[in-house]
Amino acid sequence: MKLASYNNGRRDGQLMLVSKDLTKAVAVPAIAHTMQQLLDAWDLLQPQLQELYEALNQGVLDNAVDFDESKCLSPLPRAYQWADGSAYVNHVELVRKARGAEMPETFWTDPLVYQGGSDSFIAPKADIELASEEWGIDFESEVAVITDDVPMGIDEASAEKHIKLLMLVNDVSLRNLIPAELAKGFGFFQSKPSSSFSPVAVTPDELGDKWHESKVHLPLITHLNNELFGKPNCGVDMTFNFSQLIAHFTKTRPLGAGAIIGSGTISNYDRSAGSSCLAETRMLETISDGKPSTSFMRFGDRVRIEMLDENDKSIFGAIDQQVVEYKG
């Protein structure tokens, strides 16, 4: 299934069932008004939605409307939990070098994670409003999963069955605020403003054989100002898969239905695939040339993040956002 949340003037939006080809959508208030309501009772409601999804794809629902990505909030407009991992340790290694930080060996055996703000996600077509270009504005193209209720202490083998939906992420980062903030020894906050998610969330079966080993085996495509920036494959060089991340997150706590778990920035050792954030590109330039030549984002810059299937059709819709100055 494919699902979205339309902006209806309410905080949690209106749950919409979306056709496989992203052309049609239908509200399903008789089943669930919001994405969170669906996730709270997934096992009960999913079969009813699946039946409607098949009818929507067959074109036999009289109340279906044209799907409009511009009406979408993030699939979960707000969430009880947004926790982001750094599953691509190659990326972590490069970015830590950029700020002169050592790379502990444990990073290869124990996932690095942070808990993000989940009360105000940016809609996938909305502007990214920030007060200063001097903060080092960066995008981070990622994949995320949404879970149902996950018990504390779950093992890796049992974790995947709790993954109900997949979506794309722009984990906005303010690179020039990170060093001073982490130097305090307590973690990200100001340097990680609101994140954005793709217009559509999809069940893993929508990816067919491109979803296996708790990984998405497709390129994640990022354009910066209409030019291709990177298309690394999400299934390549992923040190920790989503089952491993979930097992790590639940070591000391359960996860509630609607928890969002991010992969961290997609990164491949094959540099011809490009990058999924500016910080990585700048670090590679520093290694090669002694200094970075790529600037961070400026007001007016636009980033587009999308994933295509084998027929070059969009799977999740596109995150497509412009950075603008916040006026208050």
Side-chain angles (χ1 to χ4, degrees), residues 58-171:
Q58 291 166 8
V60 297
L61 294 183
D62 294 336
N63 56 341
V65 298
D66 291 339
F67 178 55
D68 186 350
E69 290 186 22
S70 69
K71 294 182 179 179
C72 290
L73 302 171
S74 286
L76 274 171
R78 55 178 175 170
Y80 292 114
Q81 178 70 268
W82 157 228
D84 201 14
S86 282
Y88 299 83
V89 179
N90 156 61
H91 164 76
V92 183
E93 189 173 36
L94 285 171
V95 173
R96 285 181 70 87
K97 282 182 180 179
R99 61 173 188 263
E102 292 294 323
M103 178 72 175
E105 284 298 318
T106 55
F107 277 33
W108 294 97
T109 57
D110 193 41
L112 177 68
V113 302
Y114 86 94
Q115 191 168 33
S118 59
D119 54 338
S120 62
F121 296 137
I122 307 171
K125 305 296 185 183
D127 291 337
I128 300 170
E129 297 182 291
L130 294 166
S132 175
E133 294 179 337
E134 300 306 313
W135 290 344
I137 304 165
D138 201 355
F139 55 85
E140 292 192 59
S141 304
E142 309 182 10
V143 175
V145 301
I146 304 176
T147 73
D148 62 3
D149 290 301
V150 187
M152 182 169 66
I154 196 166
D155 58 58
E156 293 174 18
S158 304
E160 186 172 322
K161 68 182 180 183
H162 292 282
I163 296 172
K164 300 306 176 187
L165 294 166
L166 297 154
M167 54 186 179
L168 307 182
V169 190
N170 179 13
D171 181 37

Side-chain angles (χ1 to χ4, degrees), residues 18-296:
V18 182
S19 64
K20 189 176 185 68
D21 62 4
L22 304 184
T23 61
K24 295 293 182 180
V26 64
V28 288
I31 299 174
H33 290 280
T34 68
M35 184 74 79
Q36 187 62 52
Q37 286 180 342
L38 169 61
L39 290 159
D40 285 339
W42 181 271
D43 289 342
L44 174 65
L45 301 179
Q46 185 272 340
Q48 300 174 53
L49 273 179
Q50 186 66 45
E51 185 177 342
L52 273 179
Y53 183 63
E54 292 168 7
L56 177 64
N57 286 319
Q58 291 166 8
V60 297
L61 294 183
D62 294 336
N63 56 341
V65 298
D66 291 339
F67 178 55
D68 186 350
E69 290 186 22
S70 69
K71 294 182 179 179
C72 290
L73 302 171
S74 286
L76 274 171
R78 55 178 175 170
Y80 292 114
Q81 178 70 268
W82 157 228
D84 201 14
S86 282
Y88 299 83
V89 179
N90 156 61
H91 164 76
V92 183
E93 189 173 36
L94 285 171
V95 173
R96 285 181 70 87
K97 282 182 180 179
R99 61 173 188 263
E102 292 294 323
M103 178 72 175
E105 284 298 318
T106 55
F107 277 33
W108 294 97
T109 57
D110 193 41
L112 177 68
V113 302
Y114 86 94
Q115 191 168 33
S118 59
D119 54 338
S120 62
F121 296 137
I122 307 171
K125 305 296 185 183
D127 291 337
I128 300 170
E129 297 182 291
L130 294 166
S132 175
E133 294 179 337
E134 300 306 313
W135 290 344
I137 304 165
D138 201 355
F139 55 85
E140 292 192 59
S141 304
E142 309 182 10
V143 175
V145 301
I146 304 176
T147 73
D148 62 3
D149 290 301
V150 187
M152 182 169 66
I154 196 166
D155 58 58
E156 293 174 18
S158 304
E160 186 172 322
K161 68 182 180 183
H162 292 282
I163 296 172
K164 300 306 176 187
L165 294 166
L166 297 154
M167 54 186 179
L168 307 182
V169 190
N170 179 13
D171 181 37
V172 183
S173 295
L174 304 177
R175 300 295 185 184
N176 293 340
L177 299 185
I178 289 176
E181 192 163 38
L182 292 188
K184 297 176 181 178
F186 216 49
F188 299 118
F189 197 87
Q190 289 182 335
S191 52
K192 289 287 188 177
S194 297
S195 299
S196 307
F197 298 87
S198 52
V200 172
V202 312
T203 50
D205 62 296
E206 288 289 333
L207 299 181
D209 63 3
K210 300 304 180 182
W211 170 256
H212 60 90
E213 301 174 332
S214 280
K215 302 177 184 180
V216 176
H217 293 265
L218 285 168
L220 183 56
I221 304 166
T222 304
H223 285 84
L224 179 61
N225 295 328
N226 298 316
E227 293 186 4
L228 180 64
F229 188 82
K231 53 177 182 179
N233 191 301
C234 302
V236 176
D237 303 320
M238 189 179 191
T239 310
F240 305 103
N241 66 27
F242 281 110
S243 292
Q244 292 171 313
L245 290 175
I246 290 170
H248 178 82
F249 279 115
T250 57
K251 180 177 181 179
T252 60
R253 71 179 77 182
L255 293 175
I260 304 171
I261 305 298
S263 66
T265 306
I266 311 301
S267 181
N268 291 170
Y269 280 107
D270 178 4
R271 302 305 179 196
S272 68
S275 297
S276 296
C277 72
L278 292 164
E280 184 173 296
T281 296
R282 287 167 57 88
M283 188 60 229
L284 290 168
E285 291 168 347
T286 299
I287 293 170
S288 173
D289 307 324
K291 62 180 181 179
S293 54
T294 299
S295 65
F296 288 118

